[in-house]
Amino acid sequence: NALFRESAGEMNEWVNQYASAIGRSKRETRDGVSAFQGLFLGMKLGGEQTKALTKEFQGLSNDFASLLVMSDELARTKFLSALSGEPEPLRQDGITVSDANISLTDFAKSLGKTSTKMTENEKKWARMEIIRKGMTMLAATGDAYRTRDSPENQLKRLAAAAEEARTSLGYLVTGPIVKLIKAMRELAGLVQNMNTSQLKAVTGFMI
């Protein structure tokens, strides 16, 4: 909230609604929002534009995590790295934000520049374009909500519910809830190495 003092209430409301809609921890979603806010504020954008981009890329990173069955934190880290100019984290998942691809973007062409002539802010805009197009090609946009009832996303929902319970009940159940959160996170991590039948066997009580 320090990054958005003037609109902290609005952003918190969005975080709460969005996290509930896709079944994610409000705390983790808030952490992601803060990370993206920091990056976009560094571009010296206006408040409304920064908020819009923050919401967009928080959502896209959750969609990416959902589609490729990875942790939301890992997906967010990949996105932040790519937007900051490190192409490798997303390259292995099919989205390449290399300088060569930056030069081919519509944004670069509209400037009449190649990547070597662009400022860092201009490159960030081009990287955003590449990520958006990559997400469209992967049919990933909206996946976190669309597949919120999938076995792997239900595990994330369980972990989020346990964390919210810990936050609400505080020290009275800290020990048990911490253990439950840890177990849910470990189980959610294991799904990356499971096939569909194994996932259904593990989460059959929920589907």
Side-chain angles (χ1 to χ4, degrees), residues 184-195:
M184 288 296 99
R185 285 177 173 169
E186 289 176 350
L187 186 55
L190 287 175
V191 301
Q192 296 182 60
N193 298 316
M194 292 182 181
N195 56 39

Side-chain angles (χ1 to χ4, degrees), residues 80-190:
L80 289 167
S81 295
L83 290 169
S84 299
E86 300 176 32
E88 195 55 38
L90 278 184
R91 190 200 309 272
Q92 55 195 268
D93 299 305
I95 300 177
T96 305
V97 292
S98 63
D99 283 346
N101 281 350
I102 285 174
S103 297
L104 297 175
T105 60
D106 293 336
F107 181 75
K109 292 175 182 177
S110 73
L111 298 176
K113 296 180 180 180
T114 62
S115 62
T116 58
K117 302 295 184 180
M118 294 168 70
T119 67
E120 182 55 31
N121 267 13
E122 289 170 343
K123 288 183 179 181
K124 281 187 172 70
W125 282 108
R127 292 170 192 138
M128 284 187 253
E129 179 184 326
I130 292 170
I131 290 173
R132 290 187 185 106
K133 289 182 177 180
M135 292 289 286
T136 299
M137 290 182 65
L138 292 170
T141 305
D143 194 81
Y145 183 78
R146 188 166 56 246
T147 64
R148 62 194 182 280
D149 294 324
S150 68
E152 51 269 41
N153 279 334
Q154 286 197 47
L155 288 173
K156 290 183 179 181
R157 187 183 295 272
L158 275 176
E163 184 165 308
E164 297 301 333
R166 178 194 177 192
T167 300
S168 298
L169 299 175
Y171 71 93
L172 293 175
V173 291
T174 296
I177 293 298
V178 167
K179 291 179 181 178
L180 179 57
I181 293 171
K182 182 179 180 181
M184 288 296 99
R185 285 177 173 169
E186 289 176 350
L187 186 55
L190 287 175

Side-chain angles (χ1 to χ4, degrees), residues 13-133:
E13 182 179 358
W14 180 83
V15 165
N16 292 340
Q17 292 176 350
Y18 174 70
S20 295
I22 65 171
R24 296 297 191 274
S25 157
K26 293 181 178 64
R27 179 201 57 77
E28 187 171 358
T29 303
R30 196 170 291 112
D31 287 347
V33 163
S34 293
F36 282 114
Q37 284 176 350
L39 184 140
F40 294 125
L41 281 172
M43 295 175 67
K44 308 299 183 184
L45 305 177
E48 292 303 315
Q49 191 171 38
T50 300
K51 284 188 290 185
L53 288 172
T54 294
K55 293 175 183 179
E56 177 187 5
F57 278 85
Q58 174 66 32
L60 288 176
S61 70
N62 282 123
D63 292 337
F64 190 74
S66 176
L67 180 74
L68 297 183
V69 193
M70 66 176 64
S71 73
D72 296 326
E73 182 178 5
L74 176 58
R76 181 172 69 244
T77 298
K78 285 173 176 279
F79 270 49
L80 289 167
S81 295
L83 290 169
S84 299
E86 300 176 32
E88 195 55 38
L90 278 184
R91 190 200 309 272
Q92 55 195 268
D93 299 305
I95 300 177
T96 305
V97 292
S98 63
D99 283 346
N101 281 350
I102 285 174
S103 297
L104 297 175
T105 60
D106 293 336
F107 181 75
K109 292 175 182 177
S110 73
L111 298 176
K113 296 180 180 180
T114 62
S115 62
T116 58
K117 302 295 184 180
M118 294 168 70
T119 67
E120 182 55 31
N121 267 13
E122 289 170 343
K123 288 183 179 181
K124 281 187 172 70
W125 282 108
R127 292 170 192 138
M128 284 187 253
E129 179 184 326
I130 292 170
I131 290 173
R132 290 187 185 106
K133 289 182 177 180

